[in-house]
Amino acid sequence: MKSGLIVIYKEAGFTSFDVVAKLRGILKTKKIGHTGTLDPSATGVLPVVIGKATKAINYMDDHDKTYVATLCFGKTTDTYDGDGKVLTESDVVVSTEEFSCCVESFRGKQKQIPPMYSAKKVNGKKLYELAREGIEIERKPEDIEIYRLDVLDFSFPNAKILVSCSKGTYIRSLIHDMGQALNCGAYMTSLERVKACGFSKEQSHTLLELQDIMDSGRIDEVIYSLDEMFPYPKCFCGKEADVFLENGNKVPLKFVTFDKDCEKNLTFYRTYHSDGRFAGLYKKEKDALKLEKFFLE
């Protein structure tokens, strides 16, 4: 079985750790990791890396994520979702126009306070562990960005929204904050991640489906190769560059050909050996490519 990425559709009731544990049994390998934790009650896209690809996790989790969430106005809970204890109730009615204006105000860059019921660590302890002990601590607002926020359905007191956002965004907190802005309170009733790390729901497989694929000997067909895991632009090295690539040294730009319009990009580059093999992720400097992560076999 080759190294690479499998897109799992996580079903409700499983933790992300549960998914990894079950995959170890299905794929009969121990070297597995996941990107972008999903709450047990949430469903959707969970990219899982296997084999040598586990080295790439830190370069994947920064990409945008897209969610479809449902919410209910009129109440707040301590967990910001339907699993929590109801804290407040309100009779305030929100109109379609008021909700649209509220949604508009939450697009773009902003600060967000992580919820107490989250896996975020403060002083070495996860917030939800403190919350379960009845302890609430002050949390620092984090920089996030909401790239897209659309109303898919609205029938007060219920609504459905689509959110594309940066890493570190809590959809439960977004919904809670919108409820506060509308002076009526709100909590999340369901959450589905439909895109993560550049992979969509349509590319995903449930654990049961994956077991069938494994049993039929087709597992390599659903594993994305190492270079397919990254959305970065490509560049190709001539034979003169091979010795630099093979030894992990800087590669002079004079030996490199970039994809069209690729040279303007300031992120990483998927860099290829002259024989077509994926060498790794490189960063562009003034006159050379500098190795960031090596994958050449």
Side-chain angles (χ1 to χ4, degrees):
M1 184 169 56
K2 64 183 181 181
S3 296
L5 179 144
I6 296 176
V7 188
I8 296 296
Y9 187 87
K10 192 191 84 66
E11 297 172 286
F14 291 104
T15 66
S16 299
F17 180 81
D18 290 337
V19 171
V20 169
K22 289 181 179 296
L23 278 175
R24 288 196 177 105
I26 294 172
L27 303 177
K28 297 177 175 57
T29 182
K30 293 182 178 179
K31 207 166 185 181
I32 299 178
H34 69 80
T35 70
T37 302
L38 278 172
D39 290 340
S41 60
T43 62
V45 176
L46 182 68
V48 173
V49 288
I50 55 176
K52 200 172 183 180
T54 53
K55 298 194 304 179
I57 287 180
N58 292 339
Y59 299 93
M60 298 178 61
D61 203 28
D62 285 331
H63 305 309
D64 309 344
K65 297 176 176 65
T66 302
Y67 300 87
V68 171
T70 59
L71 59 129
C72 183
F73 292 106
K75 294 180 182 179
T76 63
T77 72
D78 57 355
T79 58
Y80 297 178
D81 62 21
D83 295 330
K85 176 185 176 183
V86 175
L87 299 179
T88 66
E89 296 189 50
S90 170
D91 294 327
V92 173
V93 176
V94 176
S95 68
T96 301
E97 293 74 18
E98 288 171 327
F99 185 44
S100 295
C101 289
C102 177
V103 164
E104 177 68 31
S105 70
F106 276 90
R107 295 189 181 110
K109 294 181 179 180
Q110 58 199 271
K111 298 279 188 180
Q112 185 185 75
I113 298 176
M116 275 302 301
Y117 282 87
S118 67
K120 185 175 180 61
K121 287 187 176 181
V122 175
N123 298 325
K125 197 159 188 178
K126 293 177 180 177
L127 287 175
Y128 71 77
E129 293 174 339
L130 296 172
R132 287 171 181 171
E133 295 173 11
I135 301 171
E136 181 167 354
I137 63 172
E138 184 177 353
R139 288 95 69 201
K140 293 182 179 179
E142 304 282 349
D143 290 316
I144 65 161
E145 186 169 1
I146 305 296
Y147 305 111
R148 180 180 176 185
L149 179 54
D150 298 339
V151 179
L152 301 180
D153 187 43
F154 179 71
S155 180
F156 188 83
N158 300 301
K160 179 186 285 189
I161 57 175
L162 181 143
V163 188
S164 289
C165 55
S166 62
K167 176 185 177 182
T169 303
Y170 289 92
I171 307 302
R172 284 179 290 133
S173 289
L174 172 66
I175 289 170
H176 173 82
D177 292 345
M178 288 195 293
Q180 296 299 101
L182 290 165
N183 296 312
C184 65
Y187 65 95
M188 187 177 76
T189 52
S190 71
L191 180 68
E192 180 186 34
R193 187 159 65 195
V194 295
K195 189 174 182 180
C197 298
F199 295 93
S200 67
K201 174 182 176 181
E202 290 71 28
Q203 296 168 287
S204 66
H205 304 275
T206 65
L207 289 172
L208 185 59
E209 289 170 343
L210 202 67
Q211 180 68 71
D212 290 339
I213 292 169
M214 184 69 178
D215 292 343
S216 63
R218 297 180 293 111
I219 192 64
D220 282 354
E221 296 176 14
V222 299
I223 299 177
Y224 290 89
S225 61
L226 281 165
D227 59 325
E228 291 178 297
M229 292 165 44
F230 309 105
Y232 306 123
K234 296 180 180 180
C235 63
F236 306 88
C237 295
K239 288 187 176 181
E240 303 91 339
D242 288 349
V243 65
F244 298 98
L245 283 177
E246 292 163 3
N247 290 290
N249 297 326
K250 289 185 179 181
V251 181
L253 291 183
K254 62 182 179 180
F255 300 142
V256 180
T257 301
F258 290 87
D259 263 353
K260 185 180 179 182
D261 298 326
C262 167
E263 292 183 76
K264 298 177 182 178
N265 195 296
L266 301 178
T267 60
F268 302 117
Y269 293 87
R270 287 182 286 171
T271 304
Y272 294 81
H273 192 277
S274 66
D275 63 12
R277 287 180 294 158
F278 177 51
L281 298 178
Y282 283 72
K283 272 189 172 181
K284 184 181 175 186
E285 295 188 334
K286 185 177 180 181
D287 56 3
L289 288 176
K290 182 181 179 181
L291 178 65
E292 177 71 23
K293 200 69 178 178
F294 194 64
F295 292 107
L296 189 66
E297 295 181 333

